């Protein structure tokens, strides 16, 4: 498959490069990892990527909310070592 | 790299954790927590959310287009609060980000994909600095951005669970 696209003049990005990057992305999305080795279409991968990022943003917001309620009990100077250790598991 | 006995002090995860915990301590020290008016709670929530993004952006520094865009956004937010006449500085920095990321492909809407221009544009809205990226950079930056987001979520979850008991 040719890497050149007509009409756009300079096309320094090849199809192979795009395909490679898209498949790299596919491996990061849990929704798409469940499928075997069947390659999802680039359109599907990008769509799922958008949904996944939105989910992650929402999770960060929910966790910020949760932390704001727990803030009174957070004394990180003494606990920092313990937290860091528990993060290893 | 995944040594189970030592937390790599230079890993993204540990850099983020240290910064974020420090930020949480500062937030906690700022105002008396006894006040639980809805405005106070919302303010605290906002500060924590910003601290999470800030900690992540500073942990990645300027190595990535998305982190540079996020750092610029965070800095211009605080500049704007202190000095309303700093609009010009922000404009200059934005150009610098665009220069670094465009790779000479200036036209954003070129047909460099097969029928997924819309999805790519949607993605550009979600990734910091995405509007300035060509498709190649967008895909590459997205992969790194997702890895960082999952680290962020993982660490915040651990901290919240730790203090939930």
């Amino acid at each position: 498959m040719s890497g050149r696209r007509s009409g756009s003049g300079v096309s320094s990005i090849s199809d192979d490069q795009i395909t490679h990057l898209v498949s790299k992305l596919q491996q990061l999305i849990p929704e798409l990892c469940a499928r075997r080795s069947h390659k999802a279409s680039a359109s599907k991968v990008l769509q799922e990527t958008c949904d996944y990022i939105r989910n992650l943003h929402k999770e960060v917001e929910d966790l910020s909310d949760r932390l704001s309620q727990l803030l009174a009990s957070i004394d990180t100077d003494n606990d920092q070592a313990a937290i860091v250790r528990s993060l290893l598991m | 790299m995944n040594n189970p006995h030592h937390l790599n002090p230079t890993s993204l995860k540990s850099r983020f954790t240290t910064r974020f915990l420090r930020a949480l301590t500062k937030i906690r020290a700022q105002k008396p927590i006894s006040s639980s008016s809805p405005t106070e709670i919302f303010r605290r929530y906002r500060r924590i959310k910003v601290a999470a993004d800030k900690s992540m952006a500073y942990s990645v520094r300027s190595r990535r287009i998305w982190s540079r865009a996020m750092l610029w956004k965070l800095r211009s937010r605080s500049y704007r609060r202190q000095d309303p006449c700093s609009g010009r500085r922000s404009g200059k920095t934005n150009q610098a980000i665009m220069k670094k990321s465009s790779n000479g492909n200036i036209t954003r809407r070129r047909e460099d994909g097969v029928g997924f221009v819309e999805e790519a544009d949607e993605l550009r809205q979600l990734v910091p600095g995405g509007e300035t990226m060509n498709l190649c950079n967008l895909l590459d930056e997205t992969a790194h951005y997702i890895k960082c987001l999952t680290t962020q979520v993982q660490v915040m979850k651990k901290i919240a669970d730790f203090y939930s008991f």
Side-chain angles (χ1 to χ4, degrees):
Chain A
M1 217 176 278
S2 162
R4 300 267 173 253
R5 295 242 157 255
S6 60
S8 62
V10 178
S11 177
S12 53
I13 301 176
S14 69
D15 278 352
D16 291 338
Q17 219 171 340
I18 302 286
T19 312
H20 168 71
L21 288 169
V22 168
S23 70
K24 201 176 93 170
L25 210 46
Q26 183 174 353
Q27 290 166 37
L28 295 173
I29 318 288
E31 280 290 310
L32 301 170
C33 257
R35 301 176 183 219
R36 309 281 180 61
S37 52
H38 172 65
K39 221 183 66 175
S41 73
S43 170
K44 182 86 167 104
V45 172
L46 288 185
Q47 189 54 56
E48 290 295 330
T49 304
C50 290
D51 291 342
Y52 188 49
I53 291 182
R54 273 189 281 260
N55 281 342
L56 289 171
H57 283 167
K58 183 78 174 56
E59 276 201 74
V60 170
E61 283 167 22
D62 291 343
L63 285 165
S64 300
D65 191 37
R66 215 175 127 197
L67 284 171
S68 72
Q69 291 165 30
L70 294 167
L71 201 59
S73 52
I74 291 182
D75 173 19
T76 58
D77 298 320
N78 296 331
D79 299 330
Q80 186 155 351
I83 296 173
V84 166
R85 249 176 275 124
S86 79
L87 285 171
L88 292 171
M89 299 172 211
Chain B
M1 185 121 184
N2 284 324
N3 187 338
H5 300 295
H6 296 290
L7 183 67
N8 184 356
T10 59
S11 75
L12 176 73
K13 197 180 193 184
S14 65
R15 290 201 308 271
F16 170 74
T17 307
T18 313
R19 278 199 171 88
F20 185 56
L21 286 173
R22 214 183 295 150
L24 282 179
T25 314
K26 263 197 217 148
I27 295 172
R28 179 172 172 259
Q30 267 167 10
K31 284 221 168 111
I33 306 291
S34 52
S35 132
S36 55
S37 69
T39 338
E40 259 316 305
I41 292 177
F42 182 75
R43 274 209 204 109
R44 229 181 293 150
Y45 153 78
R46 278 299 306 175
R47 259 186 234 132
I48 291 177
K49 167 105 184 18
V50 169
D53 289 340
K54 216 174 186 182
S55 304
M56 185 48 80
Y58 275 102
S59 299
V60 177
R61 290 243 153 81
S62 53
R63 287 197 305 271
R64 284 278 164 178
I65 304 175
W66 74 261
S67 62
R68 289 199 290 271
M70 194 181 265
L71 286 171
W72 168 77
K73 204 193 322 173
L74 288 164
R75 283 170 186 156
S76 65
R77 265 180 91 248
S78 63
Y79 285 152
R80 242 180 278 130
R81 272 205 265 129
Q82 294 163 23
D83 171 22
C85 306
S86 60
R88 267 199 299 173
R89 187 193 294 144
S90 333
K92 192 173 164 201
T93 323
N94 201 13
Q95 274 177 40
I97 292 173
M98 288 183 73
K99 278 223 188 82
K100 271 189 176 172
S101 66
S102 65
N103 267 353
N105 297 320
I106 306 157
T107 324
R108 181 172 75 77
R109 295 205 115 260
R110 51 192 283 266
E111 284 288 316
D112 47 16
V114 193
F116 49 80
V117 173
E118 277 180 33
E119 287 85 349
D121 282 347
E122 196 185 335
L123 186 57
R124 281 194 176 92
Q125 301 298 313
L126 292 167
V127 176
E131 307 86 9
T132 66
M133 296 178 201
N134 63 36
L135 185 61
C136 208
N137 281 334
L138 179 65
L139 296 174
D140 192 41
E141 291 286 313
T142 303
H144 188 265
Y145 183 56
I146 286 180
K147 282 189 203 151
C148 293
L149 277 178
T150 50
T151 301
Q152 191 181 35
V153 165
Q154 191 184 29
V155 171
M156 287 175 82
K157 218 179 258 178
K158 284 274 183 174
I159 296 176
D161 288 343
F162 186 86
Y163 284 106
S164 290
F165 299 109

